Structure formats: C-alpha cells, structure tokens
C-alpha cells in the first residue's frame, strides 16, 4: 500500500484581509517532488506564479523547533522521507508534515487614540456560553412557533452519539473541507462570524436553521444548505471512525525513536 502523508498547512496566507485557518489533507508519499509541492501550494491558496518561501517540520515537535526550507525537489524528498520514517515508528501519536508560509506576517493592530481606554474583551469561554444560551432561548421560541403554525424547520438526522463525538470536530475542519470542494464559495471567510456567534464545533452548527445563518452570519442561503449538509456528513463519518479531527493538539511524551 502507498503511504499517505498527512499535511498540516495554513489557508489564505497569500490573500490580504482573508481569515487564515489551519487545515489538513493527505498526499501519496510516492508523488513526484514537483507535483507534491504544487499540490500543497494549491491547497494553501497560492495563485500560479505567486512567490512564497515555504518551510516544514515534522510533528510531533517542540514549539521551538525551527522550520526547514521546503522549496526545492530535494527539500520535498527529505521532508517526505522523514515523515514516512516517523510514521512507521510511531505507536501512539499522529505524525503530520507541517507546512508554513515563511513570508506571512500578521498585520499589527493600530494604536488606540490618546486618552482612550477600551474595556477589556470578555473571555472567549464567556462569549461562547452567552451566545449558546441565546441560541437555546431562540430555538425554544422557534419551536413554539413551529408547533402553532406547522412551519418546517431544519432537522438533522444525527444521533446522540454524533453529539458526543461532535465536540472533537471543529467548525474549522468543516470550512476547510468545503473550501477544497468549493473554493469559489470562500467558506473560510465565515470563520470569524461563526465564532462570534458561538459556533466553534460542528455539533453546535446543527442547532440553528437556514434562516438563522442568513440573518445572523450573513451567509447566503445557497451556501448555508451545503454547509449544513457537510457538517452532518462529517459527523456521521466521524461516528463510523472514518474521520479524525484535523486540529489535534500535539502532546508531550510521545513514543519516538530517540535517534530521530
């Protein structure tokens, strides 16, 4: 069987004003070096001819470990060879080939006006909790309306086991998958809007209907329905053991050959 290398890379680092998210995909280890590199550049959203210095490191790795150059066929062959070797020796952890855009720099925030003090932002956990509470109240209200009027509502067919498993599938996983299938729709652009409404995990996305996404997230109806179908599909596949979270936190004490 041909080895599949899991690649972890940022999307949209070459596009100003677009949200950058980390996503994973798999490539065959026996691809020619040039094609392997081109596939990664396309996944990261680089236009043809766009110049960018790329770097790589093989995860698990220390946070301080520097990225090595990932630009020439020899660089690609070394990276893939290292990843495959680590994969064969791994026992209890996931090995990933992490790629980064060495030229990408975040835009610094503008300085606040003199004498002006903005109130500190609420903690993310508190924001998510308050938003989830608001959504629950809104859904209860909508449920009463549906009972009185007989109006149809979005009713995903996920089971309770989906909800249990859904906590490890983030909304970034869903947006990245849709971006690969429908790049022109630019689903990653809705990352911040979804997060501001407390939609951080895939399971939470199914708590709201099409109308809510159109009104609150400003996502066109033509994009909402494929989005909800993708969420439900990925949750079902995950329940069957076919999908893993693509943002798995790298933990210490991995069982790696000391020689590496």
């Amino acid at each position: 069987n041909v080895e599949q290398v899991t690649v972890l890379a940022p999307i949209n680092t070459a596009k100003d004003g677009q949200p950058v998210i980390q996503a994973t995909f798999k490539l065959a280890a026996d691809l020619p070096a040039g094609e392997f590199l081109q596939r990664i550049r396309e996944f990261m959203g680089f236009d043809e001819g766009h110049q960018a210095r790329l770097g790589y490191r093989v995860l698990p790795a220390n946070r301080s470990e520097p990225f090595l150059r990932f630009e020439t066929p020899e660089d690609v062959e070394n990276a893939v060879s290292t990843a495959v070797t680590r994969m064969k020796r791994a026992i209890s952890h996931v090995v990933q080939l992490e790629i980064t855009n060495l030229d990408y720099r975040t835009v610094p925030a503008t300085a606040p006006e003199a004498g002006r003090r903005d109130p500190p932002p609420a903690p993310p956990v508190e924001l998510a909790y308050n938003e989830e509470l608001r959504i629950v109240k809104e859904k209860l209200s909508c449920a009463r309306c549906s009972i009185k009027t007989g109006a149809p509502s979005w009713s995903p067919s996920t089971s309770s086991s989906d909800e249990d498993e859904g906590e490890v599938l983030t909304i970034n996983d869903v947006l990245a998958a849709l971006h690969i299938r429908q790049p022109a729709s630019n689903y990653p652009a809705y990352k911040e809007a979804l997060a501001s409404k407390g939609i951080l995990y895939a399971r939470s996305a199914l708590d709201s209907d099409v109308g809510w996404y159109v009104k609150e997230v400003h996502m066109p109806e033509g994009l909402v329905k494929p989005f909800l179908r993708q969420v439900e599909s990925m949750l079902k596949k995950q329940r069957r053991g076919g999908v893993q979270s693509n943002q798995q936190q790298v933990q210490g004490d991995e069982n790696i050959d000391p020689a590496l």
Side-chain angles (χ1 to χ4, degrees), residues 10-26:
I11 296 176
N12 285 341
T13 59
K15 300 178 181 178
D16 295 335
Q18 296 293 329
V20 176
I21 65 175
Q22 293 279 15
T24 61
F25 70 111
K26 293 186 177 182

Side-chain angles (χ1 to χ4, degrees), residues 13-16 38 41 44-54 101 103-104:
T13 59
K15 300 178 181 178
D16 295 335
Q38 181 61 27
R41 291 177 60 86
M44 294 175 67
F46 293 140
D47 296 328
E48 186 175 356
H50 179 84
Q51 298 297 320
R53 295 182 305 119
L54 301 183
N101 181 356
D103 293 328
Y104 177 71

Side-chain angles (χ1 to χ4, degrees), residues 201-215:
Y201 296 96
R203 183 196 60 77
S204 300
L206 296 180
D207 291 336
S208 302
D209 58 16
V210 175
W212 184 86
Y213 281 97
V214 173
K215 179 181 178 181

Side-chain angles (χ1 to χ4, degrees), residues 156-248:
S157 59
T158 52
S159 66
S160 58
S161 59
D162 285 332
E163 296 180 355
D164 295 338
E165 296 293 336
E167 290 299 335
V168 298
L169 182 63
T170 69
I171 206 65
N172 287 352
D173 297 328
V174 178
L175 296 177
L178 283 166
H179 184 69
I180 295 174
R181 296 178 58 187
Q182 301 176 214
S185 299
N186 197 17
Y187 277 99
Y190 297 98
K191 172 191 173 184
E192 293 182 3
L194 290 166
S196 70
K197 300 298 181 181
I199 308 298
L200 305 176
Y201 296 96
R203 183 196 60 77
S204 300
L206 296 180
D207 291 336
S208 302
D209 58 16
V210 175
W212 184 86
Y213 281 97
V214 173
K215 179 181 178 181
E216 301 294 337
V217 183
H218 305 295
M219 183 184 293
E221 183 175 349
L223 298 184
V224 176
K225 293 180 179 179
F227 167 73
L228 292 174
R229 286 196 296 268
Q230 182 70 22
V231 170
E232 187 174 1
S233 174
M234 291 179 70
L235 286 172
K236 287 182 177 179
K237 289 180 180 179
Q238 188 181 62
R239 188 175 73 252
R240 293 194 298 266
V243 174
Q244 296 181 350
S245 172
N246 67 357
Q247 293 185 330
Q248 179 174 355

